[in-house]
Amino acid sequence: MKAFNALLTGDGRTHIASKLMRESLVDRRTVAATASEHEFRILPDVTLVGLGGHSIFDRGKEALVPLANELAAIRKHHKLVLGVGGGTRVRHTVAIALDLGLPTGGIAQLVGAMEEANAVFLNALLAKHGSIVMQREHFWELPLYLEGGMLPIVISIPPYHFWEPPPENGPLPAHGSDFGLFIHAEVLGMERIIFVKDEDGLYDRDPKSNENARFIPHIRLDELLANMPQELILDRQLFEAWRTARHVRKVQIVNGLRRGELTRALAGEPCGTVIEK
């Protein structure tokens, strides 16, 4: 490991010797020079499983309880982190926030709070199997939870909160739950994410409103970006960010209303939709 303890002077300042010591970190040439194929992966053997708020939680116990039972069995064989969306309560809360004229960052903060409620619900169902709700400020405790044999549950909304970037149109936060889980997986060096929804996977059009929608069982990211459907089951920002991501290699979408499909996906079977980079 290269030591960064040599001090350089001569220009009226004292620098710690490194190739960035006199460079601007917003200079594109400097940033390009930092590219590396050896970025450290923190949790490469962990899979992130995202449970849709609107598609799973809003359906109540008929959808959630069997899925919780399946997760309890799965966790014996796989290292998992569970992510939850907020569902209908998010939409209702956002409507009130818009009526009050709250700024985008304030709305993002509220969305995260609604997702925390679903995290508590899921934790109640899985508590006897070792689950634990990870508070958003305790991100670096996540590896400790896993090492202790626990099943962490995280909220999906990106960790911007009040610092959510202003969207191009309107006041609604542009970065949704699916994107937030993608960021969780990427920063921790995970290789795959499985999204549990109420559809079989990705279609070229919304199958709920178009009976001629074509199912897409497998596609590469570059193919998808070249011909992006107008309606998507996942956040569009996820695919845009994935274009330059370094760690996530596979995103899979499965139908959580089909019993055993999540188990098959974790076993590596080609069910639902598989998107690969």
Side-chain angles (χ1 to χ4, degrees), residues 63-78 80 126 129 196 254-266:
L64 191 55
V65 171
L67 194 55
N69 293 334
E70 187 174 351
L71 284 165
I74 288 171
R75 74 172 303 267
K76 300 173 184 177
H77 311 288
H78 302 276
L80 304 175
L126 290 171
H129 302 288
V196 182
V254 299
N255 192 332
L257 306 181
R258 295 183 185 275
R259 302 299 160 234
E261 186 150 317
L262 176 57
T263 302
R264 293 193 295 274
L266 282 163

Side-chain angles (χ1 to χ4, degrees), residues 146-216:
L146 291 165
E147 187 65 23
M150 291 180 273
L151 180 61
I153 302 171
V154 303
I155 63 171
S156 302
I157 201 68
Y160 298 140
H161 312 317
F162 289 120
W163 297 270
E164 168 73 24
E168 290 185 12
N169 298 301
L172 293 179
H175 300 96
S177 294
D178 301 329
F179 174 81
L181 287 181
F182 176 83
I183 293 299
H184 270 291
E186 176 65 17
V187 76
L188 291 171
M190 297 179 185
E191 186 167 309
R192 67 171 174 168
I193 314 171
I194 299 175
F195 289 99
V196 182
K197 301 288 188 178
D198 60 355
E199 294 288 348
D200 291 335
L202 183 66
Y203 288 79
D204 64 343
R205 285 170 284 183
D206 184 359
K208 292 177 180 176
S209 58
N210 194 315
E211 60 181 15
N212 296 318
R214 179 177 63 86
F215 178 63
I216 303 172

Side-chain angles (χ1 to χ4, degrees), residues 1-23 25:
M1 179 177 178
K2 184 177 179 180
F4 292 95
N5 55 9
L7 300 181
L8 300 178
T9 59
D11 62 354
R13 296 172 294 178
T14 299
H15 302 275
I16 299 175
S18 80
K19 63 181 180 180
L20 300 178
M21 63 182 180
R22 293 187 177 93
E23 301 292 347
L25 298 185

Side-chain angles (χ1 to χ4, degrees), residues 48-54 56-57 64 71 81-87 89-90 111-123 126 133 152-157 176-178 180-181 184 196:
L48 185 57
V49 176
L51 308 184
H54 186 61
I56 300 297
F57 281 87
L64 191 55
L71 284 165
V81 172
L82 306 181
V84 300
R89 281 189 304 279
V90 168
V111 171
M114 294 303 101
E115 292 187 337
E116 285 172 346
N118 278 350
V120 171
F121 290 149
L122 184 60
N123 187 52
L126 290 171
V133 177
I153 302 171
V154 303
I155 63 171
S156 302
I157 201 68
S177 294
D178 301 329
L181 287 181
H184 270 291
V196 182

